[in-house]
């Protein structure tokens, strides 16, 4: 496995693969890797000849009161994990390498689906994601790019971006990786106290219970209200409980496939989760 | 020369060239071609193995009161001209082919350098240019793209876009092509009456006179004021007379290379021109 820290170095490393028309798979990450990320790399490994993983904590997708400075940087440990799952090239650029010394004047925004769910609490977040993902796509020029379904809204934004701008890339969503107790894996889980970590799995349990209620014919409104109540009782500070179509359109009735979304805080740590619920026709 | 009207057809036409790692040159146009465009194609022909020219009147770069509906569409004549100068593939998609049936949610904006010169009179124009050029770049995936220096601000915006987003494309600016009497070639020249056409060359003559005044040590302020006065006396309705650095920064003194910019109307037709003036060190 090679590690490249410059765009030029990465291009040099990828040029032989490009010349040989090999299939390039790309997994963008912010590092501090867990099994969720590794499953993205495994999915890329299965489908592609060459697997590139980027590790870059992207400053422009953090809000002024968010955890950019404290976001865990664990490149050495991440590299060991990536080598084990068959990553070919780690791209770990500096902020200056990615954004240069000249001011960036270009912004990309995806409207509507970003003014919803996590976007409401994190103004500018998805613009920052769109810019860095576009830059990384142009640098790596992959055939396939892999994103986790845990950040479902991010995945939808990137699919929209790719479609709207005709990027020659196929975006693959990979199912959520969960701990044995059901908690969706996330770098931010490391912020949880022991007690909070014990409470956290009830977020997924609540979504599973909601799925059963829906399948038993309970109305969406009641089910959403139940989720909110159960999360609050478990000790969460609920940010939102919402339902959308798979393409993030609002929906009032369970008459097609839907996705349940929750975001809630345990102490200072904000957790998100989602569950796709099929409608049986 | 092939003509492709779909993205899929274009990809199929380009795939052999891509597989053979040939150098692809791209000239985006809105059609109604004149010698200025043909010189872009000739520049591409010299540098590249395969030359693609797009002809697409892009609705989203026209303002509500601009000439989108009446913009001249002359595909057959354009195709004859392109075949003569060695174009390999004409890409002439429909609006639906480019923008699809689903609504586009993604926007791209380049700040600062678009809030100036022509951007002030044409809100949203450069966003529309940035989006369509990004889409075309992703569809064609050229190594080189060619733009005329007549639309100097557009060229600067695209260079900025390419740099900010790490697009793997080299943007080449091609000098202005002029009629024998000095008028910068433009599709919009066709809107001029005979009398207006006779007046139009004085725009360039005024810029040339300004260059001489600068080289004789006249101050920028006086020279700009002279340009404005001469254009007005010639019968132009002046929109702006400005000076910028080559990267479109404002500048107060002629102490480095500069570009003089003018925009003015003759009757209903808005003409633009510019002149790069070297500073002798």
């Amino acid at each position: 496995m090679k590690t490249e820290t410059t765009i030029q170095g990465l291009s040099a490393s990828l040029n032989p693969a490009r010349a040989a028309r090999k299939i390039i798979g790309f997994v963008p990450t912010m590092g501090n890797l867990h099994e969720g990320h590794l499953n993205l790399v495994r999915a890329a490994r299965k489908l592609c000849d060459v697997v590139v993983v980027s590790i870059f904590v992207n400053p422009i997708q953090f809000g002024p009161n968010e955890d950019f400075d404290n976001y865990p940087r664990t490149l050495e440990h991440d590299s060991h994990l990536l080598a084990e799952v068959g990553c070919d090239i780690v791209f770990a650029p500096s902020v200056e390498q990615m954004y240069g010394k000249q001011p960036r004047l270009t912004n990309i925004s995806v409207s509507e689906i970003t003014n919803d769910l996590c976007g409401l609490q994190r103004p500018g977040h998805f613009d920052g994601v769109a810019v860095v993902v576009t830059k990384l796509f142009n640098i790596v020029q992959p055939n396939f790019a892999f994103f986790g379904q845990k950040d479902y809204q991010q995945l939808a934004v990137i699919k929209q971006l790719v479609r709207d701008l005709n990027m020659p890339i196929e975006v693959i969503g990979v199912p959520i990786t969960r701990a044995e107790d059901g908690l969706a894996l996330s770098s931010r889980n490391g912020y949880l106290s022991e007690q909070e970590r014990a409470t956290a799995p009830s977020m997924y349990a609540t979504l599973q219970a909601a799925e059963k209620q829906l399948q038993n014919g309970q109305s969406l409104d009641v089910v959403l209200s139940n989720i909110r109540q159960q999360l609050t009782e478990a000790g969460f500070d609920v940010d939102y409980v919402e339902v959308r179509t798979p393409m993030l359109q609002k929906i009032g009735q369970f008459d097609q496939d839907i996705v349940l979304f929750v975001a809630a805080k345990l102490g200072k740590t904000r957790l998100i989760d989602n569950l796709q619920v099929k409608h049986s026709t």
Side-chain angles (χ1 to χ4, degrees), chain A:
Chain A
M1 189 179 75
K2 275 189 192 176
T3 299
E4 300 291 352
T5 58
T6 67
I7 294 168
Q8 218 178 349
L10 181 70
S11 295
S13 273
L14 279 172
N15 269 344
R18 279 199 232 290
R21 307 283 287 169
K22 292 201 173 166
I23 304 294
I24 298 173
F26 177 47
V27 182
T29 81
M30 299 210 300
N32 194 28
L33 304 179
H34 50 64
E35 276 298 311
H37 299 104
L38 300 182
N39 281 336
L40 299 179
V41 180
R42 290 181 185 111
R45 185 72 280 165
K46 271 191 198 161
L47 206 59
C48 305
D49 301 317
V50 178
V51 176
V52 180
V53 177
S54 66
I55 295 182
F56 179 63
V57 185
N58 173 37
I60 69 167
Q61 73 187 66
F62 287 78
N65 298 317
E66 293 182 1
D67 53 352
F68 172 69
D69 286 334
N70 298 323
Y71 199 89
R73 275 101 168 153
T74 56
L75 181 58
E76 201 175 336
H77 185 241
D78 293 345
S79 296
H80 287 302
L81 296 175
L82 290 173
E84 281 172 16
V85 292
C87 167
D88 296 303
I89 303 175
V90 179
F91 180 49
S94 65
V95 170
E96 188 183 315
Q97 184 65 210
M98 283 299 288
Y99 288 105
K101 286 180 182 175
Q102 306 284 351
R104 174 181 58 93
L105 304 182
T106 304
N107 193 40
I108 303 177
S109 57
V110 179
S111 62
E112 296 183 25
I113 58 174
T114 58
N115 301 325
D116 191 18
L117 304 173
C118 288
L120 294 172
Q121 297 287 324
R122 306 184 72 183
H125 168 69
F126 286 114
D127 289 9
V129 170
V131 167
V132 81
V133 166
T134 300
K135 287 168 72 75
L136 288 167
F137 281 1
N138 282 328
I139 291 166
V140 178
Q141 299 168 53
N143 303 88
F144 295 91
F146 300 79
F147 293 85
Q149 288 177 352
K150 172 166 168 292
D151 295 311
Y152 191 100
Q153 187 178 13
Q154 171 178 277
L155 173 61
V157 168
I158 289 163
K159 282 182 174 172
Q160 183 79 39
L161 174 74
V162 164
R163 185 169 64 211
D164 283 347
L165 298 182
N166 303 88
M167 295 180 182
I169 294 170
E170 189 166 334
V171 174
I172 312 269
V174 176
I176 298 175
T177 304
R178 297 184 181 280
E180 279 192 18
D181 58 16
L183 177 63
L185 296 193
S186 164
S187 295
R188 292 199 171 95
N189 293 351
Y191 296 153
L192 297 170
S193 70
E194 200 176 330
Q195 194 191 328
E196 289 164 352
R197 179 63 189 78
T199 302
S202 61
M203 181 175 260
Y204 182 50
T206 302
L207 287 172
Q208 287 180 303
E211 180 177 25
K212 277 193 189 139
Q213 292 164 32
L214 286 168
Q215 282 161 350
N216 291 337
Q218 191 63 271
S219 79
L220 259 184
D221 281 352
V222 171
V223 170
L224 294 179
S225 162
N226 289 346
I227 296 173
R228 181 175 286 273
Q229 190 183 334
Q230 283 165 41
L231 287 174
T232 306
E233 284 170 3
F236 286 90
D237 179 8
V238 175
D239 180 1
Y240 62 74
V241 175
E242 296 284 351
V243 60
R244 297 287 183 273
T245 70
M247 292 300 291
L248 295 189
Q249 302 304 300
K250 293 194 180 183
I251 187 167
Q253 289 193 335
F254 180 42
D255 54 5
Q256 61 170 92
D257 293 352
I258 58 168
V259 189
L260 298 170
F261 291 93
V262 296
K265 277 188 177 175
L266 277 178
K268 289 184 175 176
T269 306
R270 188 171 179 277
L271 301 179
I272 61 174
D273 204 346
N274 66 79
L275 186 66
Q276 300 177 52
V277 183
K278 294 268 176 204
H279 186 258
S280 54
T281 48

